[in-house]
Amino acid sequence: MASDDIAQLVEALSKTHVGDGDLSFKGLGLKLDNAASVEELVRDIEHHQSLRALCLEGNTVGVDAARAIAKALESKELLQRCYWSDMFTGRLRSEIPTALRSLGGALMIAGARLTELDLSDNAFGPDGVKGIEQLLKSPTCHTLRELKLNNCGMGIGGGKILADALIECHRSSSALGAPLKLRVFIAGRNRLENEGACALAKAFQLMGSLEEVHMPQNGINYTGMMALASAMRHNPELRVINFNDNTFTKKGMLAMVQALKQLRNVEVINFGDCLVRCEGAIALAGVLRDGLPVLKELNLSFGEITDAAALVVAQAAMEKPHMEKVDLNGNCLGEEGCEALREAMENMDKADMLASLSDDEGEPDEDDDEEEEEEEDGDDDNESSDDDGATDNCNELSEEDDETVKENGIITKEDSPEKPQGPAEVMDFLSCPSVEKLLQLGDMRTTLQQQMDASDPHKAADALLKITSLYNEEPETRAAVFEAMDAMLMKLLSASALQSYCFLSTLLVKMGLLKGEGKMKKVPLVPGQLLCLEHATQQEYFSQHHASLLHTFTSRNSGALKSCSATGERLRAALEKKCNNNH
């Protein structure tokens, strides 16, 4: 080694941080190619008798240098934390697995018990995961609490290898009576996609110990998100969930909110840039009404959420006692929508909690909406064929967990028993409603609610709109329609806030007040339907927060009710009165 190089190394090592049990060479920019280049570094390691943490971040380590470092680590049984991020810059990808095997093998020889392993920013791909596979399966990682693999380019293959290694680690550690209890998992920017996500979901579900999950920017769409959602439900201590910059769409988001409904310790949710959209945002607002008691931060930025949906979710979030920040930047609020959101937050004395809206995308054009709907129809067809393999993997996970997956989320079989068939007259009426059939039902009208299921919002919304379309001013007919509608809504709106919000958002889509996903057809509105809703808002079963949701959309999308302008005004007035009613 040249004398100048040695002098440079000595100078760099003089900046080494040595704490109580910690040894750090962070950010020294050392180019460590061979054994000679690491002599001083190895000597420091050898002299540190009680080494518990070793940081090599920000240097570049070759194969021979890694072997020399590994030799020094073979006696460090007390080592618990390895900060080995960004330490292969400029190295051939083929070198990295060999270097990692040397370092990992040394830890196993030493009998170390790791609690934290950070290999982020190493871009080692699937082969790099193979380089740590045996380490992750070994007793050295039975005690692992934090695993950080951010920006490693693992890909689908690496994700599967990692998942299998974690599952084996859990199996072998459980056999010894001390199962793996990983708390923090970080693997953003790894191109895991659906298959990698589904594989890791199995490991997460098995461990059930996660407190933080960070998997941003991994190309995961709804099939992978549904698997991850199912796994999240089995990790009751979760505090931080970060899936930023993946693609939820409606199916993935509804599955995720079903999981959030059961998690009581979540403090941070980051679903920014995930195409949450309006129906997903409304569903999350429903969960906020009933659950997430300690939530502090909510990020729904860049999610194609419009002004009314943003108001609904912000109002629900602001009622959480520990809330500190709500990020709705980069959505489609428009100038008036942004101002309305700021005003609503100010009225609740929570203006300081709202993140900047400087990157708002503006209100979507109607022409853009039509084009997007056409594109989504095509995308749905493509996804159904392209994701067959991923869907099968996810279904395997769901079967193990004894669940069925519906469009409005994940519903356990036990929670959704098959409904008994109603009387023939009731079923005939529902299949083809008419005033004559409704009147003939008599006392059986109240049994219509037995055929309504809050977990099937499409069927419920269709039935409600069909029945209310029969309204007319003839007293007997009006009373019969009100009786049937009241029975149905009393059941649907007394369900959980999540289910009732999903029902109402579906109703809004069918009424043309909300842009939905997929091929849901809008129903041509007639005045009688709005008069029936006006009646409903005056009933005890219709809560203030349900009225607030409908009022937000009817007041901000008045054009959708222009065919029934007079009755639309009456409905808006009734909703506003309900919202302002303190009783």
Side-chain angles (χ1 to χ4, degrees), residues 141-161:
C141 286
H142 286 184
T143 51
L144 197 61
R145 296 294 178 265
E146 299 186 21
L147 179 59
K148 301 174 182 179
L149 296 166
N150 200 56
N151 191 30
C152 288
M154 289 189 287
I156 294 171
K160 289 181 175 180
I161 296 167

Side-chain angles (χ1 to χ4, degrees), residues 139-438:
T140 294
C141 286
H142 286 184
T143 51
L144 197 61
R145 296 294 178 265
E146 299 186 21
L147 179 59
K148 301 174 182 179
L149 296 166
N150 200 56
N151 191 30
C152 288
M154 289 189 287
I156 294 171
K160 289 181 175 180
I161 296 167
L162 176 61
D164 288 343
L166 291 174
I167 289 170
E168 173 57 26
C169 184
H170 186 271
R171 185 201 63 77
S172 58
S173 59
S174 297
L176 296 174
L180 171 66
K181 292 184 178 179
L182 192 66
R183 293 174 185 158
V184 177
F185 180 83
I186 300 176
R189 300 185 65 190
N190 271 291
R191 304 192 308 276
L192 295 169
E193 301 182 16
N194 289 333
E195 291 182 65
C198 288
L200 285 166
K202 294 180 182 180
F204 297 161
Q205 180 169 317
L206 186 64
M207 291 185 292
S209 56
L210 290 171
E211 296 178 12
E212 294 187 26
V213 177
H214 302 263
M215 295 175 66
Q217 203 173 339
N218 270 297
I220 306 168
N221 68 25
Y222 73 87
T223 53
M225 280 302 159
M226 290 170 84
L228 288 169
S230 181
M232 296 301 100
R233 297 191 307 111
H234 294 268
N235 289 266
E237 299 305 315
L238 267 171
R239 294 184 296 104
V240 179
I241 305 176
N242 177 6
F243 291 126
N244 188 286
D245 199 6
N246 290 288
T247 306
F248 281 46
T249 60
K250 180 180 175 181
K251 291 180 181 178
M253 187 60 184
L254 291 177
M256 195 60 69
V257 295
Q258 285 283 352
L260 291 173
K261 184 174 67 171
Q262 301 183 35
L263 299 173
R264 309 294 295 176
N265 296 301
V266 176
E267 297 177 3
V268 178
I269 293 174
N270 186 343
F271 294 161
D273 206 5
C274 285
L275 284 187
V276 167
R277 292 179 173 151
C278 296
E279 290 173 280
I282 293 171
L284 182 57
V287 174
L288 288 167
R289 292 288 179 188
D290 279 350
L292 298 170
V294 296
L295 188 65
K296 295 179 179 179
E297 294 185 22
L298 175 62
N299 184 344
L300 294 179
S301 59
F302 299 93
E304 294 190 1
I305 300 169
T306 58
D307 55 348
L311 276 169
V312 168
V313 75
Q315 287 165 351
M318 287 303 100
E319 292 184 8
K320 309 312 292 183
H322 303 284
M323 186 61 69
E324 297 174 0
K325 182 180 179 182
V326 175
D327 190 347
L328 289 162
N329 194 23
N331 283 295
C332 305
L333 311 187
E335 288 185 21
E336 290 185 8
C338 288
E339 188 56 37
L341 181 57
R342 292 190 189 98
E343 184 179 337
M345 301 286 276
E346 287 172 1
N347 290 341
M348 299 175 72
D349 199 23
K350 301 289 179 68
D352 58 329
M353 296 185 187
L354 181 64
S356 168
L357 299 173
S358 59
D359 295 318
D360 186 72
E361 295 286 340
E363 295 182 62
D365 296 333
E366 289 185 14
D367 292 341
D368 292 343
D369 290 348
E370 290 173 7
E371 288 175 11
E372 285 174 15
E373 284 173 8
E374 290 175 6
E375 289 173 6
E376 283 166 9
D377 291 346
D379 290 345
D380 288 343
D381 294 339
N382 292 334
E383 284 172 352
S384 62
S385 59
D386 293 346
D387 293 337
D388 285 347
T391 302
D392 289 342
N393 290 338
C394 295
N395 286 343
E396 180 183 343
L397 179 70
S398 297
E399 287 166 9
E400 291 172 0
D401 201 36
D402 197 30
E403 292 174 344
T404 55
V405 178
K406 292 188 175 181
E407 186 177 350
N408 64 312
I410 299 175
I411 310 295
T412 61
K413 291 177 180 177
E414 292 81 2
D415 290 342
S416 297
E418 190 173 333
K419 296 186 295 295
Q421 281 283 88
E425 297 90 338
V426 171
M427 303 310 293
D428 180 51
F429 168 74
L430 288 173
S431 65
C432 187
S434 69
V435 172
E436 182 182 3
K437 291 178 183 178
L438 180 64

Side-chain angles (χ1 to χ4, degrees), residues 470-482:
L470 303 176
Y471 176 92
N472 63 44
E473 292 297 334
E474 199 281 317
E476 186 179 8
T477 302
R478 180 172 60 183
V481 170
F482 283 169

Side-chain angles (χ1 to χ4, degrees), residues 109-165:
I109 291 171
R113 292 293 183 267
L114 294 185
T115 59
E116 185 174 354
L117 177 60
D118 186 356
L119 287 164
S120 299
D121 301 316
N122 280 312
F124 47 49
D127 290 340
V129 185
K130 291 178 183 177
I132 59 171
E133 183 179 8
Q134 293 307 313
L135 172 65
L136 291 174
K137 291 179 178 179
S138 74
T140 294
C141 286
H142 286 184
T143 51
L144 197 61
R145 296 294 178 265
E146 299 186 21
L147 179 59
K148 301 174 182 179
L149 296 166
N150 200 56
N151 191 30
C152 288
M154 289 189 287
I156 294 171
K160 289 181 175 180
I161 296 167
L162 176 61
D164 288 343

